[in-house]
Amino acid sequence: MFTRDEAQKLAKKIIGFASFPECQVSISASEQAYTRFANNGITTASLSLRHNVSIMVSKQGQSGVATVNDLDDASLSAAVKKAEELAATAPLNPELMPPLGPQEYPETMDFDERTSVARAPEMIPHVKKIIDAAMKQKLVAAGLVERSLRVDAVANKAGLFGFHKASDSQLTTTIRAADGSSSGWAGQPSKRFSEIDSAMLAARAIEKCVRWKNPKKLDPGNYTVVLEPTATGDLVRLMAGAFSARDTEEGRTFLSRRGGGTLLGEKLFPEFVTLRTDPFDSRQPALPWTDELLPTQPMVWLDKGVIANLDYDRYWAAKTSKQPTPSAGPGGRGGGRGRGGATLGGGGSSLIMEGGNATLDDLIGSVDRGLLITHFWYIRGVNPQTLQLTGLTRDGLFLIENGKITQPVMNFRFLESPVRLLKNAKRVGSAIRVRGLEGGMMIAPALLATDFPLPSISDAI
Amino acid sequence: MDNAPDGYIALPSDHGGYAVLRSIVRSGSDAALPRPSPVQGDDDDQFWIAVKYNGLRMLTRRSFLATSAAFAADLFAAPNDSKTPSAELEKLGAVALNEAKKHKATYCDVRIVRLRDQRVSLRLSPERGTGKTLAVPGVVESSSFGFGVRVIVNGAWGFAASPLVTPAEIARVTGEAVIIAKANATIQPQPVKLAPVKAYRDRWVTPHDKDPFAVPMAEKLDLLRRVTAEVKKNAKVFSGSAALNLRSEDKYFASSEGSSIQQLILQIYGNADATAVDRENNIARTRNYVPTQASAGWEYVPEMNLEENAQRIREEVLEHLSAPAIKAGMKDLLLMPSHLMLTIHESVGHPTELDRSLGYEANYAGTSYIARETIGKRIASQHCTFIGDRTSPRGLATTGYDDDGVKATQFTVIDKGIFRNFQTTRDQAHLVGDKESHGCSQADSWASVPFQRMPNVSLNAGPRDTTLDSLIAGIDDGVLIDGRGSYSIDQQRYNFQFGGDAFWEIKGGKKRGMISRVSYQARTPDFWQACDGVAGPSYWRQYGTTGDAKGEPTQINSISHGCSPARFRQINVLLTD
């Protein structure tokens, strides 16, 4: 791993190779350790190191990017040359903004030593605990325990430099009946590996698996639903990109106003719905700079139901005489990445949906007839403008009657937009950090909403 | 340089210094290198080499150890007619194998991989305020070089990887993989069992005429300029964009089974997109053209016909914007290969992965509705024969050998609707009583673990006399679907819902005008049994997907799914937003 000084020296050297007047360098290094288990045994485990240098050069609006993972002088100098060759032949980019000068990046406390070095001796006891608990009840455990350590540095020829070190971890487990007739899931992302509670996760996943056995068929239709925090995060996270000022003004998001303009300032959701980003929230690691290298700050996007801000990149801000938004933007890194390569890492997430004081039991207790949903799977966009999504329930779906969980229910496909979901929301529970099955992360509360469309049944366990 | 400790020679970490080091290593000096540790007081720009008695010891700042791009290029270079891997690669591979043997591993393999990606893109969209058309380019090239080692010790797998391709690091990382395997063995209900494999010493290259990376950027950008200009010709089209992607993978594989295999695998693909916006009604629609993706060189680009299709998508995006909405209900579907490809991928390719069926992907991608007991049972109509194939010319998953060292093969997945074979790797084959693997092992990078991935999975063409028109003529009330749209399927591959890129009404046996807001939802075994016609060989096209995700941590893979247009009866068609 690079120290701050090593990264700065390396960046300076690379920038020194550039003959172009503008050069920006991003350096990242990561170390990832994980143990994966299934069918009550460890299947694969790995330690992998990656590092990566991305070099962008530009001159009078022409730019090119080359990325390498070789760190010797010859390779880096060749990469700079390659970026310059690409830039020289590229057409002028009219949306390219001039480089920023030196920036003051705020301190984030995203590094935990113990997490950054956790290996098999720390991970395997968690795996054993879960497998032992499953086997005791003749069930089958699968899951993943993982930690990552990541260093990012950015620098440019105009004197900008930033450095960020972060560690993160997670444990997820799926417990299934040996005959494939039931499944339960629990997961916990945590900045501190020491806080991973495998006993709690095992107990929760096992309870869901045991209680969900022999799910009953219910008719498709619109239902009142109680979403556990992970399920809320699965859907709400996907609203983030719609706050782009540009896309909205160009008529392509749910915040676009019919005929022109935007819905900024309009109250679209209940009072208790607040969506914000905070790169300094201690629960989630996040970069202290935006995609465009501006220093981040907390931002509120949806404030007590009102559309409070749109996300302006530097180009669009210049075009509209506004200030660029000093946030990772809810739709940038703010929504949390997870696909490809490391399951953790990337810029992390800084997206938060505010919770309330109610517990999950409070929410369940207030429902006459509805469904309790653990989380969702295979969520994909159907209409990018209205944000209509489709996906499936998974790993525990339960009928609530008169405030109590009465029976397990067969999975459904849903077809709904998080915009409509929030409009139909009635109450929220307290918010925790969550991670979806496909890697997206945020802080989200349990949510009670009416009229959630579940138009077809899935046979899947 | 003056600060080298006693017994050490300091060399600069530039190309010259590394060349000296390489020549020392090549000369056969003892390369039994200890774990590197920082040397006090060393300069960031230098590393130290210690020459001691009868051996060579290297102490370096690990993060500054030289691994040059030039070195990578040298390493994988070989004369075009060469049938064996480069000697340098074999020497490096041997370090891992020897180290693993020392640690009593019962199996070891090493992959040294260089990945290269180039993406060129261009977007035309109106400038805010002036309406002037701006052209926004994107030119990115990336490369990655490193190695990964797998071992089996005490019946369990271990894996470790590093970006520093040197004998010292290979030995060290092999040791790490052994430590991991030993730890894994403590919770291992069954020891890993590998199906036999022959030993090969070979070199394989994706057949191609012209190295796509050698083509000047200007030529690529000119093509995209012409394509996007054609798309954006009508001012009513809000934006037009086009992109070209090139990928290459140089891969060296060596195993304790005696194999030494060097491969070069190329991929090339592109797209053209149009977007239209109706501000009055708050609607936005897209239309894209995606030619078949291919494992090929630059000679493939003219066949992509990007320019030739630009006008069509310009016209169709505007038609799509004002196309009437579908009336939902049970309808017949005519699915074109550009669309059906993905349905095959999701509902045939994935559920026939053996590891998925047996619960090894339960925590993420899920399991399967297909079990071992399903072998010999009907899961599709008699019109449906699917082949798993890593030999198909230009297929995205086509290769010489998989990442277990198994020679690329072809096998029947479903034969006239009867399920026959799962996709397997060496460590899975015995679980279905097979003597050999079907060659489906793959890792997406040197840094990731090889595991079972889909080969190309294709639907055989129908009879020669089954034309597209004849299939359409047999539909009274239906929809023709082209291209990809939304796609979602449950964790056992039963319930799926797919959209598309463009839709046409079929009424009274004829294709009519475009319609909009279409998705269809079905249950997989019912869907494939509703297939009552597949067009003939002249309609067969090999489209693919370049972003298939599986595994934890997630790995991405590229696969082709060849098919002809096919007809499906009485499927639930939905009205979406």
Side-chain angles (χ1 to χ4, degrees):
Chain A
M1 286 296 127
F2 300 102
T3 63
R4 187 189 183 92
D5 279 347
E6 284 171 348
Q8 193 157 23
K9 274 202 178 109
L10 178 61
K12 196 164 172 223
K13 178 182 0 194
I14 297 167
I15 288 169
F17 292 140
S19 69
F20 275 38
E22 295 159 10
C23 176
Q24 176 183 306
V25 171
S26 303
I27 300 167
S28 72
S30 68
E31 184 188 279
Q32 184 194 28
Y34 69 85
T35 300
R36 194 179 188 205
F37 54 103
N39 290 319
N40 291 334
I42 291 177
T43 53
T44 55
S46 156
L47 172 72
S48 59
L49 307 166
R50 295 170 213 244
H51 55 234
N52 188 275
V53 173
S54 178
I55 301 158
M56 179 176 88
V57 294
S58 49
K59 173 167 71 175
Q60 285 156 1
Q62 288 175 276
S63 72
V65 179
T67 301
V68 288
N69 75 333
D70 303 303
L71 297 178
D72 63 294
D73 286 14
S75 301
L76 291 170
S77 151
V80 172
K81 198 153 168 264
K82 165 63 57 171
E84 291 184 344
E85 275 168 23
L86 295 175
T89 55
L92 192 142
N93 180 352
E95 298 184 6
L96 190 67
M97 296 301 289
L100 294 170
Q103 302 291 312
E104 283 286 330
Y105 295 118
E107 275 290 313
T108 60
M109 303 296 157
D110 289 338
F111 176 70
D112 174 59
E113 174 75 33
R114 257 185 85 183
T115 302
S116 74
V117 298
R119 296 284 302 273
E122 288 81 23
M123 296 187 178
I124 289 186
H126 286 299
V127 174
K128 189 163 193 322
K129 196 171 279 182
I130 294 176
I131 290 176
D132 285 349
M135 288 182 71
K136 227 186 197 156
Q137 305 214 36
K138 299 195 170 34
L139 299 170
V140 183
L144 176 78
V145 55
E146 172 188 26
R147 63 87 175 157
S148 68
L149 163 62
R150 191 183 161 109
V151 152
D152 286 280
V154 288
N156 74 14
K157 218 175 209 185
L160 178 152
F161 178 73
F163 181 82
H164 180 245
K165 192 168 171 184
S167 52
D168 205 359
S169 67
Q170 62 152 339
L171 172 56
T172 59
T173 183
T174 302
I175 307 284
R176 294 174 66 82
D179 62 357
S181 62
S182 188
S183 183
W185 177 91
Q188 180 189 2
S190 176
K191 262 170 77 171
R192 289 182 191 287
F193 192 79
S194 57
E195 289 172 10
I196 298 274
D197 188 347
S198 48
M200 178 271 291
L201 295 171
R204 186 182 293 167
I206 287 170
E207 186 192 358
K208 280 196 190 277
C209 180
V210 167
R211 290 182 76 172
W212 195 53
K213 202 168 165 63
N214 299 322
K216 306 282 178 289
K217 202 179 224 182
L218 282 188
D219 287 335
N222 288 4
Y223 282 84
T224 295
V225 292
V226 174
L227 305 183
E228 293 196 8
T230 308
T232 305
D234 283 339
L235 302 184
V236 170
R237 184 176 65 78
L238 296 171
M239 284 176 75
F243 283 81
S244 156
R246 179 176 189 165
D247 291 355
T248 299
E249 291 180 20
E250 288 180 347
R252 294 183 285 134
T253 77
F254 82 92
L255 293 171
S256 305
R257 189 185 287 276
R258 191 177 281 251
T262 75
L263 298 178
L264 184 65
E266 298 280 332
K267 185 167 189 292
L268 297 182
F269 304 103
E271 281 278 315
F272 56 81
V273 177
T274 290
L275 201 61
R276 58 189 180 87
T277 48
D278 182 355
F280 314 113
D281 188 293
S282 60
R283 294 167 289 185
Q284 311 185 97
L287 285 173
W289 53 77
T290 69
D291 286 349
E292 295 179 300
L293 305 190
L294 288 169
T296 51
Q297 279 177 41
M299 287 283 295
V300 181
W301 305 98
L302 226 178
D303 190 12
K304 299 192 184 64
V306 176
I307 307 299
N309 274 294
L310 295 175
D311 184 21
Y312 286 83
D313 59 33
R314 292 178 64 208
Y315 172 74
W316 205 249
K319 280 292 179 193
T320 55
S321 308
K322 297 256 184 351
Q323 288 303 309
T325 1
S327 169
R333 302 255 174 104
R337 287 190 296 123
R339 295 287 303 278
T343 313
L344 296 176
S349 168
S350 60
L351 185 61
I352 300 169
M353 179 176 168
E354 289 288 10
N357 293 324
T359 63
L360 183 62
D361 284 342
D362 290 338
L363 298 187
I364 293 168
S366 67
V367 170
D368 287 338
R369 189 165 194 275
L371 293 170
L372 173 66
I373 298 175
T374 303
H375 61 175
F376 294 109
W377 166 243
Y378 222 127
I379 305 160
R380 292 292 184 280
V382 175
N383 181 314
Q385 194 169 9
T386 65
L387 285 175
Q388 186 179 43
L389 309 171
T390 186
L392 294 305
T393 62
R394 186 172 167 178
D395 301 315
L397 179 67
F398 301 93
L399 181 65
I400 304 168
E401 292 174 297
N402 300 317
K404 290 205 156 26
I405 293 174
T406 54
Q407 60 177 324
V409 176
M410 282 179 74
N411 282 315
F412 280 113
R413 170 172 293 285
F414 75 86
L415 182 63
E416 182 57 305
S417 160
V419 176
R420 279 190 292 261
L421 170 75
L422 289 181
K423 285 182 178 177
N424 291 328
K426 298 290 179 258
R427 273 181 97 179
V428 285
S430 53
I432 58 169
R433 186 181 179 201
V434 296
R435 182 186 175 278
L437 282 169
E438 292 187 271
M441 292 189 270
M442 66 176 289
I443 294 180
L447 184 92
L448 164 60
T450 57
D451 297 296
F452 188 71
L454 297 165
S456 62
I457 295 169
S458 156
D459 293 304
I461 302 291
Chain B
M1 284 252 207
D2 299 336
N3 298 329
D6 286 348
Y8 290 71
I9 301 168
L11 293 177
S13 66
D14 63 11
H15 199 57
Y18 189 66
V20 171
L21 172 60
R22 266 196 294 162
S23 68
I24 293 171
V25 171
R26 278 176 184 167
S27 71
S29 310
D30 181 11
L33 304 163
R35 186 185 178 116
S37 52
V39 175
Q40 193 171 1
D42 70 336
D43 183 345
D44 283 353
D45 290 332
Q46 299 183 328
F47 56 75
W48 312 106
I49 295 179
V51 178
K52 281 202 176 252
Y53 309 112
N54 61 346
L56 173 74
R57 291 181 66 229
M58 184 155 61
L59 293 175
T60 69
R61 303 272 335 234
R62 198 171 75 200
S63 55
F64 291 92
L65 186 61
T67 306
S68 71
F71 172 50
D74 279 349
L75 207 52
F76 288 104
N80 275 342
D81 54 358
S82 165
K83 288 305 283 168
T84 55
S86 89
E88 281 302 313
L89 285 171
E90 293 196 309
K91 262 212 188 98
L92 288 171
V95 171
L97 301 180
N98 291 337
E99 186 70 19
K101 204 168 173 186
K102 263 191 225 151
H103 289 284
K104 311 244 184 316
T106 53
Y107 175 81
C108 174
D109 68 39
V110 56
R111 282 170 306 115
I112 304 173
V113 181
R114 178 175 73 147
L115 298 162
R116 292 178 66 191
D117 261 88
Q118 187 187 89
R119 181 183 156 86
V120 188
S121 64
L122 193 66
R123 161 172 56 89
L124 298 183
S125 56
E127 183 176 32
R128 190 184 192 280
T130 67
K132 177 173 151 217
T133 298
L134 299 180
V136 179
V139 181
V140 183
E141 201 167 303
S142 66
S143 70
S144 164
F145 176 47
F147 71 93
V149 180
R150 277 198 306 182
V151 295
I152 298 176
V153 182
N154 298 343
W157 284 114
F159 176 81
S162 167
L164 306 169
V165 184
T166 65
E169 184 73 349
I170 292 175
R172 186 189 75 81
V173 165
T174 303
E176 290 283 357
V178 168
I179 292 169
I180 290 169
K182 283 183 174 159
N184 289 351
T186 59
I187 310 181
Q188 180 78 333
Q190 308 287 346
V192 174
K193 189 171 165 198
L194 297 179
V197 68
K198 289 204 191 81
Y200 301 96
R201 188 162 180 252
D202 196 8
R203 193 169 169 256
W204 187 91
V205 174
T206 294
H208 67 284
D209 296 333
K210 201 169 175 191
D211 175 9
F213 288 90
V215 173
M217 190 56 70
E219 190 176 329
K220 293 165 181 165
L221 283 163
D222 273 344
L223 171 61
L224 298 186
R225 259 195 211 96
R226 295 195 300 273
V227 172
T228 51
E230 187 65 46
V231 172
K232 188 84 180 76
K233 240 185 200 159
N234 187 324
K236 291 206 192 103
V237 173
F238 177 77
S239 70
S241 64
L244 263 176
N245 292 268
L246 318 174
R247 306 181 70 180
S248 86
E249 181 181 14
D250 280 291
K251 177 158 61 179
Y252 175 67
F253 172 90
S255 74
S256 52
E257 308 285 12
S259 278
S260 170
I261 301 164
Q262 180 179 349
Q263 304 189 79
L264 170 62
I265 300 160
L266 299 177
Q267 289 180 6
I268 185 162
Y269 49 95
N271 58 277
D273 301 314
T275 300
V277 182
D278 174 356
R279 286 315 304 267
E280 285 313 309
N281 293 302
N282 230 21
I283 306 171
R285 295 267 185 264
T286 56
R287 181 72 177 113
N288 58 52
Y289 170 65
V290 180
T292 51
Q293 302 85 346
S295 265
W298 187 257
E299 70 284 349
Y300 181 64
V301 171
E303 293 181 48
M304 289 165 79
N305 288 327
L306 285 167
E307 282 181 81
E308 292 78 351
N309 282 278
Q311 176 184 347
R312 180 178 60 78
I313 65 168
R314 176 180 79 232
E315 290 165 357
E316 287 177 355
V317 75
L318 294 174
E319 194 183 344
H320 197 184
L321 192 62
S322 56
I326 182 82
K327 286 191 182 53
M330 302 299 283
K331 293 179 192 295
D332 297 341
L333 296 180
L334 196 303
L335 303 181
M336 298 302 288
S338 60
H339 170 83
L340 185 58
M341 168 277 294
L342 192 55
T343 313
I344 292 171
H345 176 88
E346 299 292 359
S347 67
V348 177
H350 277 310
T352 55
E353 292 170 345
L354 181 60
D355 58 350
R356 189 181 295 254
S357 176
L358 296 177
Y360 290 98
E361 290 290 324
N363 196 44
Y364 166 50
T367 54
S368 176
Y369 80 92
I370 295 176
R372 282 176 289 193
E373 298 70 44
T374 317
I375 294 175
K377 297 214 166 70
R378 176 167 295 285
I379 59 172
S381 81
Q382 49 151 358
H383 299 273
C384 304
T385 293
F386 293 92
I387 307 292
D389 187 352
R390 300 198 74 183
T391 66
S392 177
R394 290 185 164 170
L396 290 174
T398 295
T399 181
Y401 302 84
D402 79 350
D403 285 351
D404 275 343
V406 174
K407 203 165 163 62
T409 181
Q410 227 193 39
F411 60 98
T412 304
V413 179
I414 296 172
D415 182 25
K416 297 195 193 63
I418 307 295
F419 177 57
R420 294 288 179 214
N421 284 293
F422 282 103
Q423 306 158 37
T424 59
T425 54
R426 286 188 70 201
D427 64 352
Q428 295 169 340
H430 71 279
L431 298 168
V432 279
D434 281 354
K435 298 234 168 17
E436 283 182 333
S437 153
H438 284 135
C440 298
S441 171
Q442 188 170 353
D444 71 353
S445 145
W446 48 268
S448 38
V449 170
F451 69 135
Q452 192 258 298
R453 297 310 304 262
M454 233 186 267
N456 303 310
V457 173
S458 298
L459 173 64
N460 278 358
R464 198 150 279 144
D465 58 2
T466 303
T467 63
L468 176 60
D469 281 346
S470 71
L471 290 176
I472 292 174
I475 293 177
D476 202 43
D477 176 23
V479 185
L480 182 149
I481 303 181
D482 184 58
R484 280 173 66 149
S486 69
Y487 53 99
S488 170
I489 190 165
D490 71 33
Q491 63 275 18
Q492 286 196 311
R493 307 276 146 178
Y494 275 115
N495 178 315
F496 67 72
Q497 179 176 317
F498 292 112
D501 189 58
F503 318 90
W504 284 262
E505 189 181 35
I506 298 174
K507 261 238 142 36
K510 288 208 151 34
K511 181 180 162 195
R512 311 277 174 189
M514 280 181 88
I515 49 178
S516 64
R517 300 171 59 181
V518 178
S519 273
Y520 63 99
Q521 185 273 312
R523 186 177 171 275
T524 297
D526 302 335
F527 177 79
W528 284 106
Q529 297 204 52
C531 176
D532 77 343
V534 178
S538 65
Y539 299 93
W540 198 88
R541 298 285 182 275
Q542 194 167 242
Y543 286 91
T545 173
T546 55
D548 182 41
K550 182 183 173 184
E552 295 185 288
T554 310
Q555 293 193 37
I556 302 298
N557 193 20
S558 300
I559 306 139
S560 293
H561 301 289
C563 58
S564 296
R567 182 173 66 200
F568 300 82
R569 297 291 192 186
Q570 294 302 289
I571 306 297
N572 185 18
V573 175
L574 313 172
L575 171 69
T576 66
D577 280 358

